Amino acid sequence: MQLPSSSLKRSLPLFLLCCSMLVPPAAHAQGHGPEEAEAIEAMENQISRIQEQQLELQKDLMAMRRELAQHRARMHLGHPATTNEVAAREHAFSPHGIEGARQLARNSAMPTPTTAAHHLYPGEVPTPTIGEDTPTYAAIVAHRDEDMVNRLADNNVGPHPRETAGAQATGALGDHGVFHVGPVTVILGGYFDTSAVLENRHVASGTFNYWTAMPFPRDANYHQNNFEGSPRYSRFSLMARANIDSHTTVSGFVETDFGAGAETTNPYESNAYVPRLRQAYLSYDDTLEGTHLLIGQAWSLLTPGRAGIVARQESLPETIESSMLAGQTWTRQWQARYVHELLQHRLWFGLSIENPATIYDTTGFDNNNGSVPLPNGGTATIGANGTGLTEFTTNYSDEIAPDVIGKIAWDPAWGHYEAEGIVRFPHDRVFANGTGHNNTAIAGGGGGSAVLPLIPHKLEIHLAGLAGVGIGRYGSVLLPDVTLNAQGKPKPLPDAQATAGIVAHVNPRIDVYGYYGMQRSGRSYFSSGGSAYGYGNPMSSNAGCAIEMSPLACTASIRSVQEFTVGAWWRFLKGRYGTVEVGTQLAYSRLETWKAIGGAPSTSMSQIFFDFRYLPFQ
């Protein structure tokens, strides 16, 4: 039987090695005559030449393997390929995700991936064997770069579709921009963005909604339209990652944009917005033990997710507005997070200690950079303006302990579900009657979220909510966490926030979405000496809120903010050069206040957003 050429090439070195072992060594020729010794010496020389040829052949074979691997890598990254290869690769990176690629692999008679394929470096294509003509599923998806793509349980939600705005909002990394520095893989991410907003109220916050600044009819800004455009939310990220062993990974991630304004920033000449830190953290992942550690600045553990408890898989609205949505639960802050997973990546437990900050309401009080005089003659100190490397015009609250957050996530065969809780410790110091003492309140709450794949990878419903006391800072509206009682002690305010949305991935190039969001605050107040103190005090004055340029007061403690919004993204260019997309969004927001003297005024705002975005790494 004639062996294939590839099999012959693999068998020849082994055959030569066996022949060399059967030949007696030179030492055995010492007892023979001169002619026999010469014959043996000639045979040894021949064997030596054969061994040299064997080494050369091995070098040639290694070179052929490298060239073939590079050729197949080029095929998988967009160079000419077979129909099955193209279909499988595009399907693997589409919203259908891994399971779709796995099904295509079955239909194309491609082998299913092995466990080893899950531990390849991002961007690395498995070295094929000589004579392998059909690319494997593992070879097609091996250069996907997301940390957990091949490790997550299939919940029919899956990781973010890679080119969606939602994925980009979480800092998801692309398939291009991946290269190696020794054993470390460096992955570039982000996009170039230019967005604009046209609104029927003048709120000078650009495409970032600052709902608490929405004007009432007393303000001239209420009666003016406003247009503003900027590229300041262009985003750039970098990840460095290395495999410690076949199942353990260490990585670092940093992300930035230009969303901060320096004191010299102006809209008349330079528009000199400065870079700001979005995320910067290191993580350690052991998929064998199910242990995941993260420390640094990242999305809070309270932020809803869509798969496991995994960094860069947060479930965020696909909206253009950088404040995302009224009622959205989130912060980005320092944290030390521990996550453990069970049941083959389906059950997740997370615990995080996170950087605290408390938003105080001091309505009716005088507040001098965190020093608040009390009606009884004492003084409450709730914070201090920044100094050194912190912003000296920003007040930093006094804090005694970090926020403590716990979460459970469940990924059955259909949907993603979470339950979470938080405990906080608002803290101040009061000096009265010649003595001082510290005060600490207990605040916190609980909530949950869910992603329901009505049509897997095509149509999703997103639900999330959080309720408690002293948790206003964890909502997009930034309602206050606490106020002060008559003795100057922190008094946590009730708060509730919720979002509901539907997202349709119409096809790989078009997404359509609609959301509703709401955040509400309770009230706490007292009166002393004929003056009204606290949040939502019915003895406060709202008499001037509805009259333009009125000299009367407009206290207007916010009771609730609601937002309704719809929008769409269209990826009209997509290829090896990346993705270019355009988006538009319509939004309507309404603000209600607590009733006081003069009534309960309200205000509203309508907006239309536009966005062009180039994603070179997606």
Side-chain angles (χ1 to χ4, degrees), residues 88-113:
R89 181 174 66 250
E90 291 183 352
H91 205 71
F93 302 143
S94 75
H96 298 285
I98 294 298
E99 183 56 36
R102 185 178 290 116
Q103 184 60 45
L104 251 168
R106 297 190 191 104
N107 296 341
S108 303
M110 291 187 287
T112 55

Side-chain angles (χ1 to χ4, degrees), residues 6-265:
S6 58
S7 300
L8 180 60
K9 290 177 181 177
R10 288 197 296 266
S11 304
L12 181 58
L14 181 61
F15 172 77
L16 294 175
L17 181 60
C18 293
C19 290
S20 64
M21 295 175 62
L22 293 174
V23 177
H28 293 176
Q30 293 178 358
H32 298 276
E35 294 181 358
E36 292 177 340
E38 289 179 1
I40 292 174
E41 183 178 358
M43 185 177 295
E44 289 177 345
N45 292 337
Q46 183 67 20
I47 291 173
S48 178
R49 287 193 295 271
I50 291 174
Q51 289 174 340
E52 292 176 358
Q53 292 173 0
Q54 176 187 351
L55 291 176
E56 292 297 323
L57 179 60
Q58 290 176 339
K59 292 179 181 179
D60 291 340
L61 288 174
M62 291 299 295
M64 291 171 61
R65 288 177 182 269
R66 286 194 297 269
E67 291 175 2
L68 185 55
Q70 293 171 0
H71 172 69
R72 292 189 182 275
R74 287 194 298 270
M75 291 171 63
H76 300 325
L77 291 173
H79 287 266
T82 67
T83 302
N84 284 343
E85 291 171 33
V86 173
R89 181 174 66 250
E90 291 183 352
H91 205 71
F93 302 143
S94 75
H96 298 285
I98 294 298
E99 183 56 36
R102 185 178 290 116
Q103 184 60 45
L104 251 168
R106 297 190 191 104
N107 296 341
S108 303
M110 291 187 287
T112 55
T114 62
T115 302
H118 296 179
H119 307 298
L120 294 169
Y121 293 124
E124 181 180 353
V125 176
T127 302
T129 58
I130 302 298
E132 186 178 38
D133 295 324
T134 304
T136 65
Y137 160 78
I140 292 173
V141 301
H143 66 280
R144 290 182 60 117
D145 57 272
E146 194 64 48
D147 270 320
M148 305 296 292
V149 163
N150 290 328
R151 306 174 188 173
L152 293 173
D154 181 12
N155 58 9
N156 278 306
V157 177
H160 277 288
R162 306 203 55 77
E163 299 85 2
T164 64
Q168 285 306 304
T170 67
L173 303 170
D175 295 307
H176 311 313
V178 180
F179 56 96
H180 302 285
V181 181
V184 177
T185 299
V186 177
I187 308 168
L188 303 180
Y191 52 78
F192 300 89
D193 177 272
T194 180
S195 59
V197 60
L198 176 63
E199 52 199 3
N200 68 334
R201 312 282 186 238
H202 184 190
V203 181
S205 60
T207 56
F208 180 93
N209 265 338
Y210 196 60
W211 289 277
T212 57
M214 286 170 57
F216 290 92
R218 69 172 289 169
D219 300 315
N221 291 345
Y222 177 89
H223 306 278
Q224 295 177 297
N225 292 345
N226 180 56
F227 175 85
E228 185 175 349
S230 176
R232 62 189 299 198
Y233 293 109
S234 297
R235 184 179 306 168
F236 305 99
S237 66
L238 183 146
M239 169 177 275
R241 181 174 59 208
N243 287 354
I244 298 175
D245 53 38
S246 62
H247 53 79
T248 308
T249 302
V250 62
S251 60
F253 181 79
V254 64
E255 182 182 58
T256 185
D257 64 12
F258 301 90
E263 289 192 20
T264 56
T265 296

Side-chain angles (χ1 to χ4, degrees), residues 487-499:
Q487 293 74 41
K489 297 179 180 179
K491 181 66 175 178
L493 294 168
D495 185 274
Q497 53 207 43
T499 60

Side-chain angles (χ1 to χ4, degrees), residues 307-369:
I309 303 178
V310 181
R312 297 182 307 285
Q313 287 301 332
E314 293 81 16
S315 177
L316 302 176
E318 298 199 13
T319 52
I320 295 172
E321 57 182 289
S322 55
S323 51
M324 293 184 288
L325 179 69
Q328 178 70 30
T329 299
W330 70 279
T331 60
R332 288 191 305 270
Q333 59 194 12
W334 179 92
Q335 61 194 269
R337 178 194 301 183
Y338 170 81
V339 174
H340 188 71
E341 54 169 294
L342 298 169
L343 305 179
Q344 296 181 337
H345 320 298
R346 294 196 179 276
L347 182 61
W348 303 68
F349 299 90
L351 181 67
S352 180
I353 58 171
E354 304 194 5
N355 201 55
T358 302
I359 302 175
Y360 279 88
D361 172 77
T362 54
T363 300
F365 298 91
D366 292 327
N367 186 350
N368 182 20
N369 298 333

